[in-house]
Amino acid sequence: MKTRIIRYTGRESLALAAEVIRRGGLVAFPTETVYGLGGNALDPDAAKKIYRAKGRPSDNPLIVHLGSAADAERYAVTGDLFDRIAETLMPGPLTVILKKRDMIPDSVTGGLDTVGIRVPSHPVARELIELAGVPIAAPSANLSGKPSPTSFDHVYHDLNGKVDVIIDGGPSDFGLESTIIKPEDGVIHLLRPGAVTVEMLSLFDQPIEIDPAVTRRFDGVPLAPGMKYRHYAPDKPLVVLDGCDEAVYSYLAERERRAVICFDEDLSAIDGEHVVSCGSKSDSLTQAQRLFACLRELDGLTDIDVIYARMPAKVGIGLAVFNRLIKAAGFQVLRLEPPTR
Ligand code: TXA
Ligand code: MG
């Protein structure tokens, strides 16, 4: 299939893309989290096309993107807690799992009776939904198992020739996928951490339960089916190094044919060709923005055998950086003791 590339230059530039969505085609588009691969959420065939283009298992449900939280009631059973959350956090990088209404086809939700509702804040995503006039089902616009795309180039690399349209709307703001929560009986279950943080969710004065699949290998059935897949995985093995600066530096000094994802502060202390920083040690937001691009960059290398990454701080959006990193690493974390003298 020939993929049309559209550079966003204002609302008029989205007319063709909106038409493609309405007719059941696929459009990759920017959001504030990562790029999405969108199709009409009311059309079961569009959902099937999305799964095919990504090479994604069809039991892994798609998030439904709406122009406004007020529309959620048409497609899902909302409620008081949803309304409170939506009022402060939507539009924004948040997905809320709710009981679905019949209008949403089973193929969109992987057969589940719930649906993920998200109202993106990115102007291109918002205009596209509005012009299309239908809710847009969209997973991240990567091939299944690859890091989510945070730039047009990433999407082009994975999906050129497999989708009708790719919209170039510049780099993503946050760089990691939305926070996913499921409000149930007054409890907020955190299924996937993101830029809407635990600290922000605690403002609703409801208990917050972090799903075990967020922080460790989990062999049960996670609440978000997608969390069971080995996501975001580079082809080369990735190992997370947990230890003080000294321990990490001396460990890396003895390793050859390796690449490293580190912090700005480490760059002068770690030798070697393939050493990239994902941001300052205390700047979790920048680490989030750069993590997937770092993984994609290093994964293409042929003269390395392994990628090492430093353990990020786990507070705020750092919890999301940690979650994506340990999943990409297949939960391989090496705890390093300070060197003895
Ligand atoms: O930021 C994002 O959320 C991006 C942009 C494009 O909006 N989308 C995204 O979609 O990350 P995807 O498909 O890559 O990840 C969706 C995750 C999967 O882990 C899936 O299992 C979970 O959301 N999910 C979707 N619907 C669900 C539901 N009804 N119940 C539980 N988990 C659900
Ligand atoms: Mg994804």
Side-chain angles (χ1 to χ4, degrees), residues 54 56 140 142 148 177 231:
K54 271 185 68 103
R56 173 174 175 142
S140 48
N142 52 287
S148 292
E177 310 85 344
H231 259 191

Side-chain angles (χ1 to χ4, degrees), residues 175-186:
L176 295 179
E177 310 85 344
S178 62
T179 301
I180 303 182
I181 58 169
K182 184 174 187 180
E184 209 169 31
D185 302 326

Side-chain angles (χ1 to χ4, degrees), residues 61-290:
L62 309 176
I63 291 173
V64 172
H65 297 67
L66 305 177
S68 150
D71 297 341
E73 186 57 33
R74 291 174 66 183
Y75 307 109
V77 181
T78 60
D80 187 43
L81 182 52
F82 173 83
D83 290 345
R84 282 168 57 213
I85 292 171
E87 197 178 331
T88 30
L89 297 175
M90 287 180 167
L94 176 71
T95 296
V96 183
I97 309 294
L98 298 169
K99 195 154 180 20
K100 85 172 183 76
R101 298 201 190 275
D102 291 344
M103 269 175 99
I104 300 291
D106 288 338
S107 57
V108 167
T109 62
L112 297 179
D113 63 355
T114 53
V115 60
I117 297 287
R118 167 152 140 72
V119 181
S121 61
H122 194 289
V124 176
R126 297 182 64 73
E127 282 177 8
L128 182 65
I129 297 166
E130 202 185 302
L131 286 170
V134 291
I136 296 183
S140 48
N142 52 287
L143 289 177
S144 192
K146 288 283 163 200
S148 292
T150 56
S151 71
F152 166 78
D153 287 348
H154 296 162
V155 182
Y156 185 83
H157 178 271
D158 279 14
L159 295 179
N160 183 39
K162 295 192 164 79
V163 301
D164 299 288
V165 173
I166 303 176
I167 302 171
D168 181 355
S172 308
D173 301 330
F174 293 114
L176 295 179
E177 310 85 344
S178 62
T179 301
I180 303 182
I181 58 169
K182 184 174 187 180
E184 209 169 31
D185 302 326
V187 177
I188 299 176
H189 296 271
L190 178 71
L191 277 46
R192 182 174 74 180
V196 166
T197 61
V198 173
E199 292 79 356
M200 288 155 84
L201 293 168
S202 67
L203 297 177
F204 298 101
D205 277 334
Q206 303 288 341
I208 299 173
E209 291 259 349
I210 299 182
D211 196 56
V214 168
T215 53
R216 58 187 164 86
R217 189 190 298 278
F218 181 63
D219 295 325
V221 179
L223 287 172
M227 295 293 270
K228 77 179 174 234
Y229 295 106
R230 184 170 176 248
H231 259 191
Y232 328 115
D235 289 336
K236 298 276 164 28
L238 171 66
V239 180
V240 181
L241 300 180
D242 191 8
C244 65
D245 294 348
E246 214 189 357
V248 170
Y249 299 160
S250 71
Y251 181 82
L252 288 173
E254 286 162 24
R255 299 278 151 346
E256 289 174 354
R257 289 180 59 82
R258 45 92 173 134
V260 182
I261 301 175
C262 64
F263 304 124
D264 293 348
E265 294 83 346
D266 303 324
L267 286 171
S268 57
I270 303 173
D271 284 336
E273 207 184 330
H274 306 305
V275 181
V276 296
S277 168
C278 62
S280 179
K281 192 170 192 167
S282 59
D283 184 359
S284 300
L285 191 56
T286 301
Q287 292 166 27
Q289 284 163 345
R290 291 203 203 147

